[in-house]
Amino acid sequence: MLQLLRFLTHTSQPFLVPICFVCAWAFISAIALSLWTAVRDGVNTGKRLHQIPCTHCQYFTGDYRLKCTVRPSIANTEAAIDCLDYQPKTNPLLY
């Protein structure tokens, strides 16, 4: 039994280095791809959230209890991106 194990170890040893090399680089590539995908998705989400116009609307109160006097249920959410009641603030000092 030990003779068979020794034979298998010595015959597979030349193949272990390339196999481990490929596996290590595949692992590093998978981590890099995962990080790249996370950063890309984060940037896309940030761009989409920066399109929310609520803070520049005259109906936005800034109070956490009532954020918007017209549509409080969608204030500061993605549903407010195309809000039909959006009116820009007329006083630029209120920004």
Side-chain angles (χ1 to χ4, degrees):
M1 181 73 172
L2 289 175
Q3 297 292 336
L4 178 63
L5 188 59
R6 185 175 182 190
F7 173 74
L8 289 175
T9 305
H10 285 294
T11 56
S12 64
Q13 195 169 13
F15 301 111
L16 288 180
V17 172
I19 290 172
C20 290
F21 178 77
V22 169
C23 289
W25 277 107
F27 182 69
I28 290 172
S29 299
I31 289 174
L33 180 65
S34 175
L35 288 174
W36 172 254
T37 304
V39 168
R40 185 189 65 208
D41 291 346
V43 167
N44 288 339
T45 301
K47 284 181 182 178
R48 187 172 62 249
L49 292 178
H50 278 284
Q51 293 176 352
I52 298 173
C54 290
T55 56
H56 303 293
C57 181
Q58 70 179 2
Y59 302 119
F60 185 73
T61 63
D63 187 9
Y64 72 94
R65 293 170 287 191
L66 181 66
K67 295 177 184 167
C68 177
T69 56
V70 178
R71 294 182 184 230
S73 61
I74 67 168
N76 283 341
T77 63
E78 289 184 50
I81 290 176
D82 294 324
C83 183
L84 298 175
D85 297 318
Y86 172 74
Q87 293 293 321
K89 288 183 181 178
T90 55
N91 188 356
L93 298 177
L94 295 178
Y95 283 118

